[in-house]
Amino acid sequence: MANYFVFTVEVPSSLESWVGDLAFDFGAMGTTEVLKFSQPEGEETVFTESLERKKIEIYFADSPSPEFFVQIETRIPTSDFSLSECPDQDWMAEWKKNFKPMPLAEPFWIVPSWEAAPPMAAQVIHMDPGMAFGTGTHETTQLIAEELVAGQVGYSLLDVGTGTGILAILAIKLGFKEVCAIDTDPEARRVAQENFELNSAQIELPALGVHELKGTYSVVVANIIDGPLVRMQHDLFRLVEPGGRLVVSGILLEREREFLQHFLPPPGRPLRRTQKGDWLAFTVSF
């Protein structure tokens, strides 16, 4: 059985995306963030700690080329890193060991389909992420989830870039009557559909781009990254009904100024800003 290599590195939060992109340029098979959790005394809720430096594990089939290490040391000279060789194993089984029930936005919890819900989980979203993006642990997902839980429930919701379908399922559980989810990735749509069925959630899942959608929605959410949000902004604005709201996330704190230079809501529609760790979300009311 072949071995594989694990490159472990601690980086500033602002460089997490850069390290991931670099790793895939050098042939990485995947990356994971080693999250740190805490449970204050007397609290039932488990919290994900927001740290200035993050520990990333990157997986390679073969030892990466020397140029990979040179680029790491050049960009992050103070970074601690290591490379270890490990025996091959069942990746999915190992990954499942580390995916545990997690709070999303009070009172909702993400619970893996193979785990029992903990007693403190008042509302449960069952989840099997497969190979799609989104387990509910990332700050960007939590920012939008908290906005939905705290805000007024409308009749309809559109989830742009649904990934595993977490936010669309949350909308159904909150009481939205019509929910539509879209994603350009066929694998994401497949995984999302399985999760919709797992949660008995009736959600429309057309194989359409945001520019192809007609009509309007009470709430539109888009958890992507800043570049695509800027490119699709006019379609996002178009799809929100009068009196509705748009919630976008996926903007790094260090890119806030550049994002706001290009993401321009209609006149008289101010942006409301929320932050979690190094990530931002913005809400536009119409």
Side-chain angles (χ1 to χ4, degrees), residues 7 68 88 116 134 174 180 232 239 258-259 268 273:
F7 178 76
F68 173 75
D88 202 1
L174 285 171
C180 177
M232 65 178 63
L239 291 165
E258 182 177 353
F259 174 71
R273 175 187 187 275

Side-chain angles (χ1 to χ4, degrees), residues 34-45:
V34 182
L35 297 172
K36 187 174 182 180
F37 306 103
S38 63
Q39 186 172 17
E41 186 176 353
E43 291 277 354
E44 292 185 337
T45 302

Side-chain angles (χ1 to χ4, degrees), residues 144 147-148 152 154 156-161 167 171 176 178-180 182 210 213-224 229 232-241 243-249 263 282-286:
I144 294 184
E147 172 67 24
L148 290 178
Q152 184 176 355
S156 59
L157 179 138
L158 170 65
D159 181 12
V160 179
L167 295 172
F176 285 86
E178 292 184 2
V179 176
C180 177
I182 61 172
V210 66
L213 294 175
K214 308 296 183 183
T216 56
Y217 299 83
S218 307
V219 177
V220 176
V221 300
N223 179 22
I224 314 178
L229 289 173
M232 65 178 63
Q233 62 180 303
H234 298 298
D235 283 312
L236 295 175
F237 300 151
R238 170 180 62 83
L239 291 165
V240 183
E241 67 183 27
R245 68 190 192 277
L246 167 68
V247 189
V248 299
S249 190
F263 191 82
F282 292 92
T283 300
V284 187
S285 297
F286 285 77

Side-chain angles (χ1 to χ4, degrees), residues 99-254:
F99 182 23
K100 299 297 183 182
M102 282 285 301
L104 175 64
E106 188 65 32
F108 293 91
W109 280 62
I110 300 294
V111 178
S113 58
W114 56 89
E115 290 273 348
M120 69 284 289
Q123 295 281 346
V124 171
I125 295 175
H126 295 285
M127 185 60 48
D128 190 341
M131 297 299 290
F133 172 80
T135 59
T137 60
H138 201 277
E139 292 96 330
T140 58
T141 307
Q142 294 172 356
L143 281 166
I144 294 184
E146 290 169 359
E147 172 67 24
L148 290 178
V149 170
Q152 184 176 355
V153 174
Y155 182 80
S156 59
L157 179 138
L158 170 65
D159 181 12
V160 179
T162 193
T164 54
I166 290 173
L167 295 172
I169 296 168
L170 174 63
I172 288 290
K173 291 184 176 291
L174 285 171
F176 285 86
K177 302 302 180 185
E178 292 184 2
V179 176
C180 177
I182 61 172
D183 202 295
T184 57
D185 182 356
E187 176 63 12
R189 292 197 300 273
R190 185 191 69 78
V191 171
Q193 185 60 52
E194 291 181 352
N195 285 322
F196 297 160
E197 294 171 3
L198 188 62
N199 289 274
S200 302
Q202 297 297 314
I203 295 170
E204 185 183 359
L205 188 63
L208 298 174
V210 66
H211 62 284
E212 300 174 282
L213 294 175
K214 308 296 183 183
T216 56
Y217 299 83
S218 307
V219 177
V220 176
V221 300
N223 179 22
I224 314 178
I225 54 176
D226 56 335
L229 289 173
V230 168
R231 290 194 294 272
M232 65 178 63
Q233 62 180 303
H234 298 298
D235 283 312
L236 295 175
F237 300 151
R238 170 180 62 83
L239 291 165
V240 183
E241 67 183 27
R245 68 190 192 277
L246 167 68
V247 189
V248 299
S249 190
I251 304 99
L252 269 170
L253 181 61
E254 67 175 18

